[in-house]
Amino acid sequence: MPLLEKVKITDIGAEGKAIARVDNQVIFVPMLIPGDVVDIQVSKKRKNFMEGTVVRFHEYSSDRIKPRCIHFGTCGGCKWQHLPYHLQLYYKEKQVKDNLTRIGKVEIPVIYPIIGSDDIYMYRNKLEYAFSDRRWLTREEIISDNNFKEDALGFHIPGLFDKVLDIKECHLQPDPSNAIRDAIRRYAHKKYLSFFNLREQSGFLRNLIIRNTSDGKVMVIVVFYLDEKERISGLMNYLSTEFPQISSLLYIVNTKQNDSLADQVPVLFKGEDHLMESIEGLKFRVGPKSFYQTNIKQSIRLYRAAKEFAGLKGSKIVYDLYTGTGTIANYIAGSAKRVIGIEYIEEAVRDAVINSELNGIKNTSFFAGDIKSILNEQFIRENGHPDIIITDPPRAGMHQDVIKQIVLASPGKVIYISCNPSTQARDVALMSNHYKVVKIQPVDMFPHTHHVENVLLLEKITF
Ligand SMILES: C[S@@+](CC[C@H](N)C(=O)[O-])C[C@H]1O[C@@H](n2cnc3c(N)ncnc32)[C@H](O)[C@@H]1O
């Protein structure tokens, strides 16, 4: 494979990869920013593009700033810490436009400037750590021939599913998140508790989830692989004594091969089995497994944008697809005639119903199940024809059957919220014979990553 010399990075593209053009061919390189001049070792060559890694810097971009985190460059989390925030926003907005134009074949109508996050650190209310006895070792550690403790509590190394980077600091979640993680690691070492080995499926400690609310409540869920009651109680008691601010302390014994907790039952060890969050005076209950937007301040701005696009005046029937704990449904209920939410995690649907009750909301109904099976003609006959559909699918976007059903239901407006502009653009293209994009509002929920959330207003094309 060729070595390309003194190449200037000129752009940032999909997945946040830096882009250069050499002899009219695009080359993608991770971890660089426009303005860097580098030698690139090509690792993949295709007809239309190449991929490579940097082997030598000739010039650093004048835009570069010093990353805050010691794990920058190894951790897969915040890869854009060396890019000033205003440029991060610029490239995120560009990503939305590029995807809509290239994949969605959309002529860009009104695009509002991306809404940036006031907090660019400590903005997350949930972090998930993995325990592993296969710590990611640095090059220096490997060649030093020393014996190192191989246990790690941290984040998976991108692309290496069984290697975990031992996290010493993380700037994403407010205190006491770092302290809890470090205390568990210390306790585990002191008590000789074993860390999980994914390949061999062995070890005691498996995952750690820390969630928090805007008013400082903390939920901790420790996931064990082995059901060893005494050792579980030992760790849980230690946590409860060391961190009295933990308001919900739970554990799960997951003996399955995979880490998914969807089918697992959390055991409450101490405190409450849920957290309470509030948005503009509305209260929301969040169970240990329920989806909840991780950057709460930005999610409020996202919901406001969706509500504004919907232009509700109290007379419309609204479907809220992929409703989670019914946050959007309950948020807009006061301005709608009726809101119908669909979501496949039953626990989240129960929370959605409770959230309506908690707030005295009487015009919502929630249904548990896969949207592609639930949303059919009979469902629409029974629940009323939707005037507006709000849809907020996961990164994979919507199943084709769901898109067909939306088109058949034929609401006047579709508000499409997405955390993945490329699948959103793909879905928009599939609806383009019936709906046109009228307004676009990107929102940044995840500073220092290439991820961007986008709200689209689609209106029915009248012939
Ligand atoms: C991006 S979240 C949106 C949550 C919610 N709108 C909010 O703002 O809190 C996507 C949700 O879709 C749910 N989900 C994913 N695939 C689904 C499917 N096929 N049918 C129903 N719900 C699904 C997930 O459980 C998750 O709660």
Side-chain angles (χ1 to χ4, degrees):
M1 293 282 181
L3 177 77
L4 308 172
E5 287 178 83
K6 290 201 173 166
V7 179
K8 185 162 188 167
I9 301 299
T10 51
D11 203 352
I12 293 184
E15 305 295 308
K17 282 186 187 156
I19 294 180
R21 282 186 177 77
V22 178
D23 298 333
N24 270 335
Q25 244 210 333
V26 169
I27 175 150
F28 295 103
V29 198
M31 300 303 290
L32 297 178
I33 66 168
D36 287 337
V37 180
V38 290
D39 291 347
I40 300 168
Q41 177 59 59
V42 176
S43 52
K44 196 190 249 183
K45 215 165 180 250
R46 293 283 180 273
K47 202 168 138 226
N48 297 324
F49 71 94
M50 294 186 280
E51 282 178 10
T53 45
V54 59
V55 286
R56 184 177 164 202
F57 274 92
H58 290 277
E59 262 177 55
Y60 288 100
S61 167
S62 56
D63 285 325
R64 275 184 174 255
I65 53 170
K66 191 173 178 293
R68 177 182 286 201
C69 182
I70 55 164
H71 299 298
F72 176 76
T74 320
C75 177
C78 307
K79 290 182 181 166
W80 272 3
Q81 287 179 64
H82 53 343
L83 191 64
Y85 191 53
H86 71 277
L87 289 177
Q88 294 182 22
L89 292 178
Y90 168 81
Y91 286 109
K92 288 183 193 222
E93 194 175 304
K94 187 169 176 295
Q95 205 190 120
V96 168
K97 286 189 230 165
D98 287 353
N99 276 294
L100 282 172
T101 323
R102 287 201 202 124
I103 304 173
K105 309 280 179 241
V106 170
E107 272 180 45
I108 300 291
V110 178
I111 175 158
Y112 296 109
I114 184 166
I115 302 174
S117 182
D118 295 339
D119 302 323
I120 63 166
Y121 286 103
M122 303 301 184
Y123 58 80
R124 284 188 69 100
N125 57 21
K126 181 182 181 189
L127 280 183
E128 297 185 55
Y129 291 103
F131 292 89
S132 170
D133 68 355
R134 309 250 302 143
R135 182 165 72 84
W136 171 259
L137 297 173
T138 60
R139 238 181 96 73
E140 293 74 43
E141 284 173 327
I142 293 168
I143 54 178
S144 74
D145 245 12
N146 291 338
N147 272 335
F148 289 98
K149 207 166 182 50
E150 289 227 18
D151 286 340
L153 172 54
F155 301 127
H156 284 281
I157 292 285
L160 296 171
F161 75 104
D162 65 335
K163 292 271 187 199
V164 168
L165 177 68
D166 199 42
I167 293 291
K168 301 279 197 286
E169 64 177 42
C170 178
H171 302 274
L172 286 177
Q173 190 175 33
D175 285 340
S177 177
N178 280 297
I180 290 173
R181 181 202 60 236
D182 291 346
I184 294 181
R185 186 195 287 111
R186 275 197 307 274
Y187 179 90
H189 287 160
K190 198 168 139 203
K191 300 283 178 185
Y192 302 103
L193 304 181
S194 57
F195 286 33
F196 195 54
N197 184 305
L198 201 66
R199 280 180 199 274
E200 291 165 13
Q201 297 277 307
S202 62
F204 177 59
L205 293 160
R206 190 164 182 168
N207 299 98
L208 166 68
I209 300 160
I210 304 175
R211 302 182 84 159
N212 65 289
T213 59
S214 339
D215 63 354
K217 294 276 186 342
V218 181
M219 173 185 279
V220 174
I221 309 158
V222 185
V223 184
F224 300 93
Y225 178 63
L226 302 171
D227 194 2
E228 296 180 355
K229 296 266 179 309
E230 236 172 74
R231 292 205 288 169
I232 291 175
S233 303
L235 173 55
M236 301 310 269
N237 276 320
Y238 167 75
L239 277 177
S240 126
T241 318
E242 286 291 300
F243 298 97
Q245 64 272 59
I246 297 177
S247 53
S248 306
L249 184 56
L250 304 103
Y251 70 89
I252 292 175
V253 179
N254 177 12
T255 55
K256 290 183 309 168
Q257 286 206 334
N258 64 56
D259 281 344
S260 158
L261 299 180
D263 53 355
Q264 301 288 300
V265 184
V267 180
L268 181 66
F269 187 82
K270 193 192 141 200
E272 304 215 86
D273 64 353
H274 63 275
L275 291 172
M276 293 299 297
E277 190 51 274
S278 69
I279 294 181
E280 295 183 354
L282 291 177
K283 289 184 275 212
F284 290 96
R285 177 195 156 100
V286 187
K289 293 195 296 176
S290 298
F291 174 89
Y292 200 72
Q293 297 284 355
T294 40
N295 181 341
I296 185 74
K297 284 192 192 157
Q298 285 304 91
S299 69
I300 297 172
R301 291 169 161 171
L302 182 83
Y303 295 157
R304 272 190 207 136
K307 190 173 176 184
E308 217 172 287
F309 281 2
L312 295 167
K313 295 200 176 65
S315 59
K316 306 282 190 209
I317 297 183
V318 185
Y319 281 17
D320 180 28
L321 308 185
Y322 309 88
T323 191
T325 49
T327 325
I328 297 177
N330 283 308
Y331 179 70
I332 59 165
S335 320
K337 184 174 170 195
R338 222 142 35 82
V339 190
I340 285 111
I342 312 178
E343 156 69 41
Y344 70 13
I345 303 230
E346 287 187 13
E347 186 205 39
V349 170
R350 278 197 293 277
D351 285 346
V353 173
I354 293 172
N355 286 337
S356 287
E357 284 166 9
L358 271 175
N359 294 291
I361 295 168
K362 299 204 164 52
N363 59 340
T364 54
S365 326
F366 296 97
F367 297 86
D370 191 333
I371 293 173
K372 80 175 182 327
S373 331
I374 291 202
L375 185 65
N376 55 33
E377 279 147 60
Q378 191 189 338
F379 181 88
I380 291 170
R381 262 198 311 279
E382 285 170 7
N383 290 284
H385 171 262
D387 301 299
I388 296 173
I389 290 184
I390 297 177
T391 182
D392 184 9
R395 287 189 64 72
M398 292 193 281
H399 191 280
Q400 284 200 10
D401 292 351
V402 176
I403 298 175
K404 277 189 202 140
Q405 249 350 97
I406 292 178
V407 170
L408 276 177
S410 189
K413 287 180 181 180
V414 176
I415 319 290
Y416 190 155
I417 305 171
S418 165
C419 54
N420 185 346
S422 67
T423 53
Q424 186 184 45
R426 177 203 67 198
D427 294 350
V428 163
L430 291 172
M431 298 166 79
S432 61
N433 286 339
H434 307 271
Y435 286 88
K436 64 171 192 303
V437 175
V438 181
K439 287 180 185 171
I440 308 170
Q441 177 64 74
V443 180
D444 182 27
M445 310 281 273
F446 305 110
H448 311 302
T449 74
H450 67 272
H451 294 290
V452 57
E453 199 87 9
N454 190 41
V455 191
L456 290 180
L457 168 62
L458 295 138
E459 280 179 1
K460 196 160 100 183
I461 300 170
T462 42
F463 297 98

